Amino acid sequence: MRLETLVITQDDLNDLIRLHGRHELMDLVIERLQEAFLLAHQEGTMTPARAGVRRCPGGTGVLEWMPHHDSGRCLTLKTVAYTPANPTSRSLPTILAALTRFDDTSGHLTAVCDGVLPTAIRTGAASAVASRLLARPDSGTVGLIGAGAQSVTQLHALARVFRLSQVLVHDSNPVHRASFAERTAFLGLNVRVAAPQEIEEAADIICTATSVPVDGGPVLAATHLTPHAHINAVGADLPGKTELPLDLLRSATVVPDHLEQARKEGECQRLSMAEIGPDLPSLLASPMRARALRSQRTVFDSTGYALEDHAVLDVLLELADKYDVGERVQLEHLPSDALNPYGA
């Protein structure tokens, strides 16, 4: 039997973006993510929390594995390496990742894809889904704490679901904050550097996407927030690593993406169960309940889980088929006699 694995490389992803369109791809991922969250809630699908090991000197990095099982169809597995020293020490992204897809019946590896760009896109798209649900529909000012790669896709996704008039950005790294406007120029938005207090006072929606170290937060004082501020907290992804003040979390409605995972390594790790609101899939299934929260402070605890990777890989595989992108290779060793590993 001849089995092939579709390999989607960096160049292939660039071709898909060129052929399909950057905005159109983001729109598609936003909608597919919302559909996936709703379907998971309706069917009671349980995606495991990620697991991993600490790595790098001092345990500052991690290598994690994130599985999602679509029973009877396939399984998506993402491996992701988080290395906060990469941008400054090696000129590499903080997150390096690979997406793999397996047939559920045979276990055959059907596809391998870069995970760096898909992770950035799906994380931005998840914030757009949450913000569209929880922020005021007339939100026009976005504040960004952290001006790295993830904030680019955070802003891109939000710009697809809100009519934005102003973007205020802050980063502790002066090079990152100075270059952010150029990196997001394709959005045609009014972007300028601002102090954290000005961001708090003006922003309807705030995204925190930082590489703050364990026990290094908060990155936002939250003393001048608007009464209706919605915050997408993206950077907490390790035990002990958080971005927001505890007082803010306790005074806001905190909506995790994945409760078990958020309690282990998200903003929710410092909260009791009674202090945590409904998860995002549950709220999407009860939109009237969500609308009642739009005049209050809300926090989306976005830890990023494997259902999101499964959904974005579905999109990329569909587009790869549509545009005939990617290379099919015989990766797995399949001898003529399955009982003889040395068979030709």
Side-chain angles (χ1 to χ4, degrees):
M1 179 182 292
R2 180 184 176 90
L3 294 178
E4 294 182 327
T5 301
L6 177 65
V7 179
I8 301 177
T9 66
Q10 169 183 276
D11 289 342
D12 295 326
L13 285 179
N14 289 336
D15 285 342
L16 288 181
I17 290 173
R18 176 179 55 83
L19 292 165
H20 194 71
R22 182 162 32 183
H23 298 324
E24 291 76 12
L25 175 59
M26 181 61 82
D27 291 346
L28 186 55
V29 173
I30 290 170
E31 295 312 315
R32 290 293 183 83
L33 265 191
Q34 178 151 330
E35 292 169 4
F37 288 139
L38 276 170
L39 185 62
H41 175 78
Q42 292 163 359
E43 296 185 348
T45 303
M46 295 299 294
T47 301
R50 61 180 167 235
V53 293
R54 292 287 186 101
R55 40 173 283 278
C56 299
T60 55
V62 294
L63 181 68
E64 299 173 316
W65 42 92
M66 303 170 63
H68 177 79
H69 184 203
D70 188 348
S71 182
R73 175 175 168 252
C74 62
L75 184 142
T76 298
L77 177 67
K78 183 171 83 170
T79 53
V80 55
Y82 168 77
T83 312
N86 267 356
T88 54
S89 300
R90 304 172 188 88
S91 296
L92 291 173
T94 301
I95 291 176
L96 295 175
L99 291 169
T100 51
R101 171 65 58 87
F102 298 86
D103 177 73
D104 193 36
T105 304
S106 67
H108 163 52
L109 176 63
T110 59
V112 177
C113 178
D114 158 67
V116 178
L117 181 59
T119 296
I121 291 173
R122 64 80 155 150
T123 307
S127 288
V129 171
S131 300
R132 185 164 58 183
L133 185 69
L134 294 167
R136 295 199 323 195
D138 62 349
S139 295
T141 298
V142 165
L144 299 166
I145 304 295
Q150 183 55 60
S151 287
V152 174
T153 50
Q154 289 287 310
L155 182 57
H156 185 195
L158 290 173
R160 302 306 296 167
V161 296
F162 292 95
R163 294 178 62 88
L164 301 181
S165 57
Q166 180 176 225
V167 180
L168 305 175
V169 60
H170 176 78
D171 194 296
S172 58
N173 185 316
V175 175
H176 292 181
R177 63 177 182 252
S179 67
F180 188 77
E182 180 181 351
R183 287 181 278 127
T184 56
F186 70 96
L187 296 172
L189 296 171
N190 174 24
V191 178
R192 66 178 178 86
V193 173
Q197 181 172 326
E198 182 184 359
I199 290 174
E200 289 189 33
E201 292 171 342
D204 303 298
I205 300 170
I206 297 175
C207 299
T208 57
T210 71
S211 296
V212 63
V214 170
D215 298 324
V219 300
L220 194 70
T223 54
H224 294 80
L225 290 172
T226 63
H228 63 273
H230 169 70
I231 299 174
N232 298 304
V234 178
D237 52 13
L238 286 172
K241 180 185 176 187
T242 57
E243 295 181 311
L244 303 182
L246 183 56
D247 287 347
L248 167 62
L249 296 173
R250 286 178 169 159
S251 65
T253 299
V254 180
V255 178
D257 53 2
H258 187 290
L259 178 60
E260 178 188 353
Q261 190 167 283
R263 291 199 73 201
K264 178 182 177 183
E265 54 189 62
E267 297 294 332
C268 289
Q269 64 186 279
R270 293 179 292 161
L271 300 177
S272 68
M273 281 296 295
E275 294 171 318
I276 302 172
D279 63 20
L280 180 60
S282 300
L283 269 186
L284 285 167
S286 304
M288 292 301 294
R289 184 181 181 189
R291 289 190 193 107
L293 298 172
R294 289 177 175 172
S295 60
Q296 308 170 26
R297 288 179 184 163
T298 51
V299 173
F300 174 46
D301 191 359
S302 176
T303 59
Y305 70 109
L307 174 63
E308 299 169 23
D309 301 303
H310 183 78
V312 74
L313 185 55
D314 272 350
V315 169
L316 294 174
L317 291 177
E318 289 175 22
L319 295 180
D321 182 64
K322 177 179 179 179
Y323 297 110
D324 193 24
V325 167
E327 180 182 0
R328 296 190 176 277
V329 300
Q330 287 184 278
L331 187 64
E332 295 153 320
H333 181 64
L334 302 172
S336 55
D337 179 357
L339 301 180
N340 179 10
Y342 295 113

